[in-house]
């Protein structure tokens, strides 16, 4: 009797799993243009309809295989959000997982000197780093602080843009003729293995949590 009950339970569980996955949406169900339209509609509902932001634009981002993998939501007057395109809906998680970390978080363009150390002031807050950040500065010598995305900061968001996954950390980039340009460190590279990802972690970080709470 016990074995029969277990067999029936497993059968019901299997059928439920098939039903859930069989009816779920897949990324491949939509074209790139359709995905952009869907992300735009969801983003407007979340960020515009409540009055938090005035307007937005959505741009596709590609991975190292030139595959559509992410989206950039550029918010006005200031802010940006990344969205990851999941392969399929699953357990309440939608096709689109948002990362709100950067909505209004300041960041800098910079290059590093790993043999030195420095402090950076933002308002009344002092940030300590174990290597010097040679920051972009304005005509008065003050560090230029950005709230828009690295793509907009370099005025390349209309070009083919990339977001490279470096073991859970992400590097925003564009493709040049024979190389890529890291839009944080502003350095060119031919291969992802050339990037010392740890020099960018404390000034710029992207993360996608696989939970339905972070659905766009």
């Amino acid at each position: 009797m016990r074995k029969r009950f277990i067999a029936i339970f497993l059968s019901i569980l299997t059928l439920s799993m098939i039903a859930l996955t069989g009816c779920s949406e897949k990324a491949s169900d939509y074209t790139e243009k359709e995905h952009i339209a869907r992300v735009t509609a969801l983003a407007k509902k979340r960020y515009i309809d409540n009055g938090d932001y005035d307007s937005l634009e959505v741009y596709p981002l590609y991975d190292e295989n030139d595959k559509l993998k992410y989206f950039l939501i550029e918010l006005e007057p200031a802010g940006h959000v990344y969205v990851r395109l999941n392969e399929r809906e699953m357990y309440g998680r939608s096709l689109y997982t948002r990362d709100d970390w950067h909505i209004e978080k300041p960041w800098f363009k910079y290059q590093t000197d790993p043999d030195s150390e420095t402090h950076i002031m933002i308002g009344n807050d002092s940030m300590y780093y174990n290597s010097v950040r040679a920051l972009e500065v304005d005509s008065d010598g003050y560090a230029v602080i950005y709230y828009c995305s690295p793509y907009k900061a370099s005025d390349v968001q209309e070009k083919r843009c990339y977001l490279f996954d470096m073991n859970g950390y992400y590097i925003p980039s564009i493709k040049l003729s024979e190389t890529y340009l890291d839009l944080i460190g502003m350095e060119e590279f031919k291969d992802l293995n050339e990037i010392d990802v740890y020099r960018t972690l404390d000034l710029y970080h992207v993360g996608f949590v696989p939970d339905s709470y972070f659905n766009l």
Side-chain angles (χ1 to χ4, degrees):
M1 182 71 180
R2 179 182 175 82
K3 291 183 178 179
R4 184 180 178 184
F5 173 79
I6 293 175
I8 294 174
F9 174 77
L10 290 176
S11 297
I12 294 174
L13 181 61
T14 301
L15 290 172
S16 298
M17 292 286 289
I18 293 173
L20 285 172
T21 57
C23 296
S24 63
E25 291 185 319
K26 301 186 294 294
S28 59
D29 292 338
Y30 302 95
T31 65
E32 179 175 313
K33 185 176 181 180
E34 289 172 332
H35 277 301
I36 292 174
R38 286 164 60 86
V39 170
T40 299
L42 291 169
K44 285 182 176 179
K45 183 177 180 180
R46 177 174 290 275
Y47 301 112
I48 304 298
D49 292 353
N50 59 12
D52 286 348
Y53 296 90
D54 297 336
S55 61
L56 61 82
E57 292 290 339
V58 175
Y59 303 94
L61 302 175
Y62 304 89
D63 64 13
E64 63 275 13
N65 298 313
D66 270 298
K67 179 181 178 182
L68 176 64
K69 187 65 177 178
Y70 312 97
F71 300 93
L72 167 68
I73 303 173
E74 200 72 60
L75 298 164
E76 293 294 342
H80 62 291
V81 176
Y82 290 103
V83 175
R84 183 181 66 190
L85 176 60
N86 300 310
E87 292 293 331
R88 67 187 311 145
E89 291 180 331
M90 186 173 293
Y91 306 119
R93 186 194 69 184
S94 75
L95 288 179
Y96 311 108
T97 298
R98 76 184 191 280
D99 166 49
D100 287 333
W101 178 253
H102 292 285
I103 283 191
E104 295 182 3
K105 183 177 175 62
W107 65 275
F108 310 86
K109 291 182 182 180
Y110 68 94
Q111 293 182 333
T112 63
D113 177 0
D115 297 325
S116 304
E117 59 186 34
T118 191
H119 287 78
I120 296 174
M121 294 296 298
I122 302 181
N124 295 322
D125 296 326
S126 176
M127 295 184 176
Y128 168 78
Y129 301 103
N130 59 6
S131 60
V132 162
R133 264 58 180 171
L135 302 179
E136 178 187 19
V137 296
D138 60 22
S139 58
D140 295 319
Y142 292 102
V144 179
I145 302 174
Y146 292 98
Y147 293 91
C148 63
S149 74
Y151 307 96
K152 185 175 181 178
S154 292
D155 195 24
V156 297
Q157 69 270 27
E158 298 290 349
K159 298 181 182 294
R160 191 173 182 87
C161 296
Y162 295 81
L163 188 62
F164 293 130
D165 183 356
M166 303 290 291
N167 297 319
Y169 298 98
Y170 295 80
I171 305 294
S173 306
I174 60 168
K175 191 171 186 179
L176 305 178
S177 57
E178 296 182 358
T179 61
Y180 294 94
L181 177 65
D182 168 9
L183 296 176
I184 303 297
M186 303 308 294
E187 298 178 2
E188 293 185 30
F189 61 94
K190 288 186 177 181
D191 187 276
L192 291 179
N193 294 324
E194 297 177 15
I195 298 178
D196 179 8
V197 65
Y198 294 103
R199 65 180 170 76
T200 70
L201 301 190
D202 44 13
L203 284 185
Y204 201 82
H205 173 66
V206 183
F208 300 101
V209 181
D211 186 271
S212 59
Y213 176 81
F214 295 96
N215 289 347
L216 178 61

